Amino acid sequence: MLEHGAAPPPGGSGPRPPFAGGLGTRLMRRKPVERLIAEGGRGEGGSLRRSMGMWQLTMISIGATLGTGIFVVLGEAVPDAGPAVILSFVIAGITALFSALSYAELAGTIPVSGSSYSYAYATLGELVAWVCGWCLILEYGVSVAAVAVGWGQYLNELLSGTIGVTIPAALSQPPGSGGIFNLPALLVVMLAMVFLLGGAKESARANTIMVSVKIVALLLFCGVALQGVKSGNYQNFMPMGMAGVSAAGATLFFSYIGFDAASTAGEEARNPQRDLPRAIMLSLLIVTTLYCLVAAVAVGALPWQRFKGSEAALAGILKEVTGQDIWAVLLAAGAVVAIASVVLTVLYGQTRILFAMSRDGLMPRVFSKVHPKSGAPRANTVIVALFCGVLAAAVPLGQLADATSIGTLFAFALVNIAVIVLRRTRPDMHRSFRTPLSPLFPAIGFVLCVYMMGSLSPVTWAVFGIWMAVGLVVYFGYGMRRSRLAPSEK
């Protein structure tokens, strides 16, 4: 299957390679691409199963992306940008496009589960790979929690419109937002965990159904809310200026991480070199189009000043436009399914990244143990779900969204660099997809990511700095010495 010669022994089998050099050499050691590919799917006690085609991979991308920015974070972004939130989605989408091109090239060249972590390991060295993986843990883990927070808002809308009962604020809001514990957020993460424990094929089938439901729900919203669009709501289009548009775009960028989730399925795709690049680009096109369409209708139907504090804004718009509860109930039902699919696919991506890091020795072995019957990393899935569920139940949405954005942008910036490096160091490698105008487009992608990171608040940067500091402590105290590329102990 490999085109470039035999690979070293995978995983923990065989002797570790000899080591020479000092700390700098150790931090810069790279994992050969051939070895990454040879180890694909292999875990402790079993292997992941290759069961997904291009359609399933595209649905994973859409499932992880479509829903977060529209169903949940729109109420957070519109107060920053006003009606120009449409431009914020465009800016975030363009930023994502340049990074998506780089992801598509690397996903077709190095089709493994670790996503940008594995790409960095092959090109930029172990320390950078660790930092990237640590950012992905922030990106995926916190994203699951952020989306789960908004799920409870739509669940209450659905319960109110159908049976006239809602979950009390004490049990549907996190501390600091009027509640004690967000029980619905914990519940949706646990439901996603149950699907994932059944295996990738079963999870992909459930996700495809849920993605279809949420696309229909969003098109329904556009058709109904269009009746309430008023041209006056677009006046004073950019009330906060370009700074507000950029700030909203940086917040909304976290809703474009779906194609990253597709790249984590590299070891469970039947033909990853062909299908991963196609799935990444197709999903980004579909999602960006729907985001801009729904945002344009939403800010046209409701004055932008009234979005503040609303985590179920679309349902409220339908209720106001029609004066009837039935449309809001239908949208709430679609949103409950839609956001559940985001939780499912992003939780899936988180477990596969930890799987890859564990297989390399940088995380405890429990994360790479594969159940022989289901072909799923069950212990990994349970641990991640419990962590994300508790986080979702205890932390407000806005803080979670911004923390996810900065982790995403940092990881994407590294992927753009990795494309440039791999083109120079391994120009002979077969690439099923090539980023156009490289290194120009990857460089533009890198600059845009850094620019959007600069639009985030000082508090977000402080949290990111603390997270990175903790990550370096973990790496130097655990990962560096236990790496499978470390010298044999004597």
Side-chain angles (χ1 to χ4, degrees), residues 240-326:
M240 307 299 178
M242 197 61 201
V245 173
S246 297
T251 297
L252 290 170
F253 189 84
F254 109 106
S255 58
Y256 280 91
I257 66 172
F259 61 84
D260 194 2
S263 70
T264 66
E267 295 174 23
E268 289 161 288
R270 290 193 293 267
N271 190 345
Q273 286 90 347
R274 182 195 67 188
D275 292 340
L276 279 174
R278 295 178 181 180
I280 288 169
M281 301 311 299
L282 179 60
S283 63
L284 184 64
L285 174 63
I286 293 172
V287 165
T288 303
T289 301
L290 279 170
Y291 274 167
C292 293
L293 177 63
V294 174
V297 173
V299 295
L302 185 71
W304 68 270
Q305 298 90 338
R306 294 174 55 187
F307 278 81
K308 188 173 180 62
S310 174
E311 292 172 358
L314 300 189
I317 290 172
L318 289 185
K319 189 182 296 184
E320 179 161 326
V321 167
T322 64
Q324 301 176 6
D325 291 336
I326 182 61

Side-chain angles (χ1 to χ4, degrees), residues 43-424:
E44 297 283 342
S47 298
L48 303 177
R49 296 174 182 172
R50 294 193 178 276
S51 59
M52 297 188 210
M54 193 193 78
W55 180 247
Q56 288 84 3
L57 294 170
T58 303
M59 289 299 102
I60 286 177
S61 288
I62 297 176
T65 309
L66 189 58
T68 51
I70 287 295
F71 285 110
V72 179
V73 189
L74 195 63
E76 298 279 337
V78 171
D80 288 336
V85 72
I86 304 165
L87 296 181
S88 299
F89 274 112
V90 172
I91 290 172
I94 292 173
T95 304
L97 173 61
F98 284 104
S99 295
L101 291 169
S102 294
Y103 262 100
E105 176 168 328
L106 292 177
T109 308
I110 312 174
V112 293
S113 287
S115 184
S116 51
Y117 155 76
S118 294
Y119 309 152
Y121 212 167
T123 56
L124 303 174
E126 186 172 281
L127 178 61
V128 177
W130 168 265
V131 170
C132 187
W134 195 246
C135 284
L136 291 174
I137 292 172
L138 177 69
E139 170 191 336
Y140 278 85
V142 177
S143 178
V144 169
V147 178
V149 169
W151 187 77
Q153 305 302 313
Y154 278 99
L155 180 62
N156 263 341
E157 288 280 343
L158 180 60
L159 292 174
S160 175
T162 52
I163 61 176
V165 176
T166 59
I167 302 172
L171 295 178
S172 62
Q173 295 286 346
S177 296
I180 299 173
F181 194 78
N182 193 330
L183 183 61
L186 177 62
L187 176 62
V188 71
V189 176
M190 294 300 102
L191 289 174
M193 178 190 74
V194 171
F195 278 113
L196 291 175
L197 291 176
K201 184 177 181 179
E202 291 73 15
S203 301
R205 184 182 296 117
N207 175 65
T208 298
I209 295 171
M210 289 190 283
V211 168
S212 301
V213 170
K214 65 180 170 182
I215 290 176
V216 170
L218 287 174
L219 293 176
L220 174 68
F221 167 81
C222 291
V224 175
L226 193 62
Q227 305 171 41
V229 170
K230 300 175 182 176
S231 59
N233 289 335
Y234 295 111
Q235 293 178 0
N236 191 18
F237 185 70
M238 201 181 293
M240 307 299 178
M242 197 61 201
V245 173
S246 297
T251 297
L252 290 170
F253 189 84
F254 109 106
S255 58
Y256 280 91
I257 66 172
F259 61 84
D260 194 2
S263 70
T264 66
E267 295 174 23
E268 289 161 288
R270 290 193 293 267
N271 190 345
Q273 286 90 347
R274 182 195 67 188
D275 292 340
L276 279 174
R278 295 178 181 180
I280 288 169
M281 301 311 299
L282 179 60
S283 63
L284 184 64
L285 174 63
I286 293 172
V287 165
T288 303
T289 301
L290 279 170
Y291 274 167
C292 293
L293 177 63
V294 174
V297 173
V299 295
L302 185 71
W304 68 270
Q305 298 90 338
R306 294 174 55 187
F307 278 81
K308 188 173 180 62
S310 174
E311 292 172 358
L314 300 189
I317 290 172
L318 289 185
K319 189 182 296 184
E320 179 161 326
V321 167
T322 64
Q324 301 176 6
D325 291 336
I326 182 61
W327 297 110
V329 169
L330 288 174
L331 183 78
V336 166
V337 174
I339 297 172
S341 77
V342 178
V343 173
L344 173 67
T345 49
V346 177
L347 189 65
Y348 166 85
Q350 173 73 100
T351 61
R352 271 42 179 189
I353 289 164
L354 285 170
F355 174 87
M357 295 179 73
S358 173
R359 185 174 56 202
D360 291 335
L362 303 183
M363 283 288 179
R365 292 176 60 185
V366 65
F367 290 106
S368 58
K369 289 184 177 179
V370 177
H371 192 273
K373 184 177 180 180
S374 66
R378 286 191 170 180
N380 179 346
T381 301
V382 171
I383 293 170
V384 171
L386 289 174
F387 172 80
C388 293
V390 172
L391 188 67
V395 182
L397 171 64
Q399 298 174 24
L400 291 174
D402 283 348
T404 304
S405 290
I406 197 167
T408 304
L409 288 163
F410 190 86
F412 285 8
L414 290 180
V415 168
N416 285 296
I417 295 175
V419 166
I420 298 172
V421 171
L422 195 62
R423 285 280 191 100
R424 290 183 176 273

